[in-house]
Amino acid sequence: MRRPCLPGLTLLLAAALAAAEAPRPSTASDRVEVLSPPLLHPALPFARSLRIYLPPGYAASDRDYPVIYLPDGQNLFNDATSYVGEWGVDEALDALAAEGFEAIAVGIDHGGERRMQELSPWHNPRFGEPLGAAYLDYLVETVKPFVDANYRTLNGPESTAIVGSSMGGLMAHYALHARPEVFGLAGVLSPSYWYHEAAFHYPQNRPRPAQARVFLSMGGAEGHEAVAHVEAMERLLRRWPDADGVRLRIVEAAEHNEAQWRTLFPEVVRFLYRLPPAQGG
């Protein structure tokens, strides 16, 4: 039997490793702007880059647009900056724009190793000091005023959504209840309700946000406990007078990943903004 040529095999392995480590090409729309330097709140420990998507008709119009805020900005628009794949928010909103709905999307980059803390409103001893309340203050006191001052926005809660997944989903749900005068719409995808039982106590102890709309989701492959948690939250929220403002989607075969959230994102936007369902949907 002929043995492989070791020098040749070494070169092949080196080439494979180099290819694996090569930067991925950008997939972001040319209407996604990365703001630099990051926005800093003078009293809070946050300075985050923003990734701002402007709809196709923005430059040629003088109208104001609804705004969708999303944590984990690195994963939203660009495969090159994503963890394991992007959400395709720009492509999804471009497709909705072709149907007549246009919105601005604002991605807030996460803080890397501090992500769990900054997206947690409550203390979990496994993850250290919770910074979620301060993070929400940063969104409300720094990010949103900047966006409203520099872009043409519809800035009322009925036009302002926050959409996140996992810990970002937990933050989106917290924001809806903590600052209902700011966020009237929430996309809560694969939320980390396991993080703290206060996730269930908090909405029970606060009044229903006026005209709020919430889209909840979970992948069936994320586990029985995760599905049970989101179903329990749906039952809790359906006690609101306007139960039609709550929707739950269990995606049976879906796992806890960007592929699920990418698929769901257009449906989330349609529900939150009362758009017609997709043709054939």
Side-chain angles (χ1 to χ4, degrees):
M1 179 182 294
R2 184 178 179 181
R3 295 181 178 178
C5 175
L6 291 180
L9 182 60
T10 300
L11 288 174
L12 286 173
L13 288 172
L17 288 172
E21 296 172 358
R24 290 169 286 176
S26 174
T27 58
S29 163
D30 58 7
R31 282 177 283 100
V32 175
E33 175 186 7
V34 181
L35 294 186
S36 183
L39 285 184
L40 175 67
H41 188 295
L44 296 172
F46 297 108
R48 296 287 179 264
S49 292
L50 303 184
R51 301 170 191 267
I52 299 181
Y53 160 91
L54 297 178
Y58 186 90
S61 79
D62 59 359
R63 57 176 287 207
D64 298 332
Y65 295 85
V67 184
I68 305 169
Y69 291 87
L70 305 102
D72 296 325
Q74 297 96 322
N75 295 337
L76 305 175
F77 308 106
N78 195 341
D79 188 61
T81 61
S82 68
Y83 177 55
V84 287
E86 56 152 319
W87 283 36
V89 166
D90 43 350
E91 291 89 348
L93 291 178
D94 280 354
L96 287 171
E99 299 179 21
F101 173 79
E102 293 191 322
I104 296 169
V106 179
I108 304 95
D109 279 11
H110 63 70
E113 294 180 356
R114 303 189 78 182
R115 177 179 178 272
M116 292 293 288
Q117 290 175 278
E118 72 185 21
L119 295 178
S120 168
W122 304 291
H123 177 69
N124 183 319
R126 289 172 52 196
F127 300 103
E129 178 190 4
L131 299 174
Y135 177 88
L136 183 56
D137 286 345
Y138 173 70
L139 293 189
V140 171
E141 298 171 9
T142 299
V143 176
K144 189 174 186 298
F146 174 87
V147 172
D148 289 339
N150 288 278
Y151 300 90
R152 300 191 308 275
T153 66
L154 296 169
N155 56 22
E158 69 283 353
S159 301
T160 306
I162 180 167
V163 179
S165 64
S166 193
M167 289 298 292
L170 186 66
M171 173 53 63
H173 200 168
Y174 171 70
L176 182 78
H177 291 279
R179 301 303 293 264
E181 76 283 5
V182 177
F183 300 106
L185 313 170
V188 182
L189 312 184
S190 302
S192 299
Y193 288 145
W194 57 266
Y195 193 89
H196 202 287
E197 62 184 10
F200 293 91
H201 301 324
Y202 196 73
Q204 294 184 68
N205 296 327
R206 301 181 74 85
R208 173 192 178 274
Q211 299 179 341
R213 293 177 70 79
V214 184
F215 186 107
L216 301 163
S217 78
M218 191 65 70
E222 296 188 64
H224 174 76
E225 183 179 31
V227 172
H229 280 166
V230 78
E231 289 176 338
M233 184 62 75
E234 182 208 21
R235 291 192 297 271
L236 175 62
L237 297 183
R238 283 198 175 277
R239 298 175 187 173
W240 289 353
D242 181 13
D244 291 340
V246 180
R247 177 172 294 178
L248 171 63
R249 281 272 276 119
I250 304 297
V251 186
E252 291 300 334
E255 300 178 347
H256 191 87
N257 57 31
E258 277 70 20
Q260 177 193 172
W261 307 322
R262 178 184 181 118
T263 300
L264 281 173
F265 181 72
E267 184 180 348
V268 174
V269 175
R270 288 180 185 278
F271 175 75
L272 296 182
Y273 289 97
R274 303 175 187 269
L275 306 180
Q279 292 186 356

